[in-house]
């Protein structure tokens, strides 16, 4: 069949195959190795034997880590989505404002999360810049860094991911919202009616996709939680890294079990997000 007679979906799949195949091969090999290690089929020492001892050994910390990781990811994604949407709406409201906000958001994205975590730590610590600026005694400053609520961790992820959300949503709105909004205004729709019935439905697919990406990234990210979080309990990535770098080789299978659990949670979030986006597209 000639290339120009291929279906659009088939053509799109063929176009992404050169980039998709190496990624699937590398990730698949890594997950398969971790699965064999966690099930005792590829032990570092001893004979291979199918066992769930790694999952049983990490069960206590694993359950706590799952709840903590999901909580941090949900809180950071919620704040990033709301802030990113507000920035996108402001950026598309006027040309000058859009250029300024777009430039500020673009400057935020290239900053590594490790640098951002250090900056947030210096800002929110009990002897940090913010407490000194406000003249608050360090002993009475709330434990934002390393505290029980993981405020600094959520703040860093929300700050970084909100710029990503804003850029994607603003790109969608700038190309489509103006014409639809003008048509709605000519038909008598007010500002809030245009926002509810025109702008938000147009932004919803991009907002949902960026929220899913931010959630999955936050769920699997290590450096921010390790730098700004508490020593215990640990999110899943921090727990996996600690177990993997332990001098006890028996902890390696537990690290693989934690890593596979994290990957499984991320996969579930991706599948649910794709299903929600397809349903949203069908309703439109």
């Amino acid at each position: 069949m000639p290339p120009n007679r291929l279906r659009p979906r088939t053509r799109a799949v063929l176009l992404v195959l050169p980039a998709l195949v190496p990624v699937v091969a590398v990730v698949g090999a890594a997950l398969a190795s971790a699965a064999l290690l966690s099930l005792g089929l590829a032990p570092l020492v001893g004979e291979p034997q199918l066992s769930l001892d790694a999952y049983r050994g990490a069960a206590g910390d694993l359950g706590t880590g799952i709840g903590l990781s999901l909580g941090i990811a949900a809180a950071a994604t919620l704040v990033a989505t709301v802030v990113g949407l507000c920035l996108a709406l402001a950026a598309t409201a006027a040309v000058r404002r859009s250029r300024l906000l777009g430039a500020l958001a673009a400057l935020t994205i290239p900053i590594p999360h490790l640098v951002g975590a250090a900056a947030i730590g210096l800002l929110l610590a009990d002897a940090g810049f913010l407490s000194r600026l406000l003249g608050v005694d360090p002993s009475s400053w709330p434990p934002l860094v390393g505290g029980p609520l993981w405020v600094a961790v959520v703040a860093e992820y929300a700050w970084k991911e909100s710029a990503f959300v804003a850029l994607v949503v603003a790109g969608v709105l700038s190309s489509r919202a103006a014409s639809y909004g003008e048509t709605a205004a000519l038909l008598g729709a007010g500002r809030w009616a245009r926002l509810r019935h025109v702008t938000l439905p147009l932004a919803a697919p991009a907002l949902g996709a960026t929220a899913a990406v931010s959630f999955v990234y936050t769920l699997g990210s290590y450096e921010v939680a390790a730098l700004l979080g508490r020593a215990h309990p640990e999110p899943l990535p921090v727990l996996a890294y600690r177990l993997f770098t332990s001098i006890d080789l028996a902890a390696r299978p537990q690290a693989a079990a934690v890593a596979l659990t994290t990957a499984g949670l991320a996969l579930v979030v991706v599948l649910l997000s794709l299903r929600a986006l397809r349903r949203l597209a069908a309703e439109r």
Side-chain angles (χ1 to χ4, degrees), residues 20 69 114 135 158 164 172 175 178 189 278 283:
L20 186 62
S69 295
L114 186 61
F164 166 67
V172 173
S175 61
R278 288 177 182 175
E283 292 177 354

Side-chain angles (χ1 to χ4, degrees), residues 226-237:
L227 186 62
L228 300 177
R230 302 172 61 187
H232 187 80
E234 299 168 307
L236 292 177

